[in-house]
Amino acid sequence: MNIGIIHGFVGGGGGTEKTLHGIIQALEQTEHNVTLYTFSKPKINSNKIKIKTILPLTIPFFGLLQRAMESKLISKAKDEDLLIQSSGGLGIPKNPDQRIIVYCHSDFSSELDNPDSKYKGLWSLYYKYYYSMIKKFIQNINDPRIFLISNSKYIQNSIKEKNNKNSEVIYPPVNLEEFKPGIKENSVVTLGRYSEEKNHDFGIDVMKDIDCDYEIIGNTNTKSNILYYEKLENIVKNKIKIHLSKNLQRNDLVKKVNKSKIYLHCSKETFGISVVESIAAGCIPIVPDNTAHKETVPFAELRYEFNNIQDAQKKINQA
């Protein structure tokens, strides 16, 4: 079978990209002819997977625009028997005989809740195009050629409720074997790329009054990540026990999580790979009382009211 993987932007990191690599590794073990379609040249090496791009160079920014171009990639892949859209959305087959599997990292409501009218100038055109693609996909989501995989039961239920579309749950790939509980220190750790939606400033507000070391570990793969990291640097510059680490080698990250007693997560998640990793490392997870956190951390005493500093501090001190 000829299989095309659609993933507009490769380079942003996070759970979406881990899922892409998991799909590639699985298909490398098969006899199918597999091609990865991206907008710009990805930093991926594979002897069995062909790569086709719109641009011959790597662009580590404008990730949203590259994702919005996925309709062009689907047109480019019109001769494939099956498409797998690993990035999380917007896939409508151009070929009437083609089928597409969309791996849903969200229920698309967060994108639909962002009206393009709040942006000005060229940015308004940028977002207007992107949101128009999302709306088009949602309008066609019940096309019988479109099959959905949800990354959690939370997303499965939400898509069913909002769009009356069934999906299969396949959790994202998590390497549990590399995390092993070490000798625990009286410390707290948070994992997550340096991005506004990860809500790291809330973690800093929570931990500034708790007498233990706190470390945020994340990547700065894009310009917006770097700007957010620099913003947080200014916030913590006089806070001795709060540390920011960026772009750590995987082994160093794993060691830090293995020795931490508590894992603090600050953002809503449709699954939350780092939460599951921290549990494998023997950390006590303290997470918001919402979204898929109720699925990965099914104990109310380990969940705090979202963005409630006092409740989060209480749960951490109890832990």
Side-chain angles (χ1 to χ4, degrees), residues 171-179 271-274 276-277 280:
Y171 291 117
V174 185
N175 186 352
L176 301 179
E177 300 302 319
E178 62 183 336
F179 290 92
F271 176 72
I273 288 176
S274 60
V276 178
E277 289 175 336

Side-chain angles (χ1 to χ4, degrees), residues 45 63 90 127 134 151 172 200 301 311 314:
N45 295 314
L90 321 189
Y127 283 97
I134 295 172
N151 69 339
H200 291 316
E301 60 268 34
D311 193 30
K314 176 184 174 182

Side-chain angles (χ1 to χ4, degrees), residues 112-132:
L112 291 171
D113 288 342
N114 283 298
D116 50 53
S117 59
K118 69 179 181 179
Y119 301 100
K120 306 297 181 184
L122 288 176
W123 285 111
S124 67
L125 297 176
Y126 177 57
Y127 283 97
K128 185 175 182 178
Y129 177 73
Y130 178 67
Y131 293 132
S132 70

